[in-house]
Amino acid sequence: MIETYALSASLHLGFVKILLALLVVHLGLVFIGDTAKFSYIKRLMYFLPTYYIFMAFIFFTGMLNLAILHFEMSFSIWIMIVCWVALIPFGAIGFKRLKAVRLNKEFGKFKKFMAIKIFCEIAIVGFGTFIGIVL
């Protein structure tokens, strides 16, 4: 059981690191490219499923770790759950803005919003990871 927990915990942390890297890539995708082309929006929309797949991997490995710990909840586990749940509305709001920018073509406002959103997501993931590792 200890080996299973160690493997699952390392996978969980690995997926968190990949998610952080994907957030940096997402920031790059927002600011790189010609906004006049439809491929700009299409590229951002194609990126999002990858981001959400890794969020699902984090959820799955976190639940596996929790089951191995016999569902004993600690403060750090609660913080990580709250951080994971907090990422969902950020993603929904970002997707809604992405759909709206196709129609209104206000790319300057969109880029500013996405920069703030992505930095907030990086802070949330970083905070949850820090609490999970330290506590």
Side-chain angles (χ1 to χ4, degrees):
M1 195 63 106
I2 294 170
E3 294 87 8
T4 305
Y5 179 75
L7 174 64
S8 183
S10 67
L11 279 174
H12 187 69
L13 189 58
F15 291 142
V16 169
K17 290 176 184 177
I18 292 171
L19 187 71
L20 283 170
L22 286 173
L23 285 168
V24 172
V25 168
H26 191 199
L27 188 64
L29 289 175
V30 167
F31 285 99
I32 295 172
D34 185 13
T35 56
K37 296 181 180 177
F38 180 70
S39 63
Y40 174 79
I41 293 172
K42 193 174 180 182
R43 179 181 61 212
L44 289 173
M45 286 192 168
Y46 282 154
F47 171 79
L48 292 177
T50 305
Y51 173 77
Y52 289 115
I53 285 171
F54 278 95
M55 279 189 61
F57 289 161
I58 291 169
F59 177 79
F60 176 74
T61 56
M63 288 296 113
L64 181 62
N65 290 340
L66 196 55
I68 292 170
L69 294 174
H70 303 289
F71 296 97
E72 293 178 15
M73 301 296 284
S74 66
F75 178 71
S76 63
I77 291 173
W78 280 112
I79 294 295
M80 287 187 283
I81 290 171
V82 167
C83 288
W84 188 86
V85 169
L87 291 175
I88 295 170
F90 274 107
I93 293 168
F95 187 72
K96 185 177 178 182
R97 292 276 180 108
L98 180 61
K99 284 174 40 179
V101 81
R102 286 190 308 183
L103 302 174
N104 62 22
K105 306 290 186 206
E106 294 176 348
F107 289 103
K109 288 181 182 179
F110 174 73
K111 287 181 178 184
K112 288 178 187 175
F113 169 77
M114 289 302 285
I116 293 168
K117 176 189 114 32
I118 292 170
F119 282 125
C120 287
E121 288 176 332
I122 290 171
I124 289 171
V125 172
F127 175 71
T129 305
F130 176 76
I131 293 297
I133 291 173
V134 171
L135 296 180

